[in-house]
Amino acid sequence: MKEIFVERAKENLLAAEILYGNNLFNASANRAYYSAFHIAIAAIYSIGIIPEIDHKTIQTLFAENFCNRRKIVSSKFKGYLKDLQHIRSNADYKNGVSKKDAKQQIKYSKEFVELLLGVIKWS
């Protein structure tokens, strides 16, 4: 299962960049969030946990297992998913996001994905 979510994370990050390049900032912010969300799911699978897949559960499991307990990643990443989801919610359900916000969303998502791809053993 984890491999499926790794591929989805990569695909969504690429989609976010393409959408951004085409001035589709709300859609870009949405895909950037899902890229980070999917890589977090894959990371959770990689440590032997089969999670209930919902936003709050994944955010909690990631923070508990990767930042608090095991200290696999810096605590600075503890709130990344929640912050990215907040921007995604603005893009999807509120006034939308600016070009600057969409770019920041991609930056954070890319940093998160690259970090997890680098520190987690996927095999």
Side-chain angles (χ1 to χ4, degrees):
M1 261 325 258
K2 67 185 174 207
E3 293 82 7
I4 292 169
F5 286 103
V6 169
E7 290 309 312
R8 287 181 186 169
K10 291 176 182 178
E11 180 180 314
N12 281 313
L13 187 56
L14 177 59
E17 291 170 336
I18 292 168
L19 290 163
Y20 179 85
N22 285 286
N23 297 320
L24 299 168
F25 305 126
N26 293 314
S28 174
N30 175 289
R31 292 297 89 199
Y33 166 71
Y34 279 103
S35 177
F37 182 66
H38 287 146
I39 202 68
I41 294 168
I44 291 164
Y45 271 109
S46 79
I47 58 171
I49 297 173
I50 300 171
E52 177 76 27
I53 299 178
D54 67 71
H55 300 281
K56 188 166 178 69
T57 299
I58 297 303
Q59 290 169 13
T60 300
L61 285 171
F62 177 80
E64 284 178 5
N65 287 284
F66 288 85
C67 300
N68 298 341
R69 244 184 243 148
R70 299 171 193 233
K71 300 189 186 326
I72 296 170
V73 299
S74 166
S75 62
K76 101 174 194 174
F77 294 99
K78 191 182 215 175
Y80 262 46
L81 287 173
K82 185 177 180 181
D83 294 344
L84 290 165
Q85 184 185 19
H86 176 74
I87 298 299
R88 194 250 336 160
S89 292
N90 287 342
D92 289 349
Y93 308 117
K94 296 185 180 165
N95 294 330
V97 298
S98 67
K99 180 177 183 176
K100 180 182 174 184
D101 288 340
K103 185 173 184 132
Q104 188 74 15
Q105 186 87 337
I106 292 171
K107 178 185 173 195
Y108 285 163
S109 180
K110 189 172 189 174
E111 181 181 15
F112 193 72
V113 169
E114 288 175 354
L115 171 78
L116 291 181
L117 287 174
V119 300
I120 304 301
K121 295 188 182 196
W122 297 107
S123 56

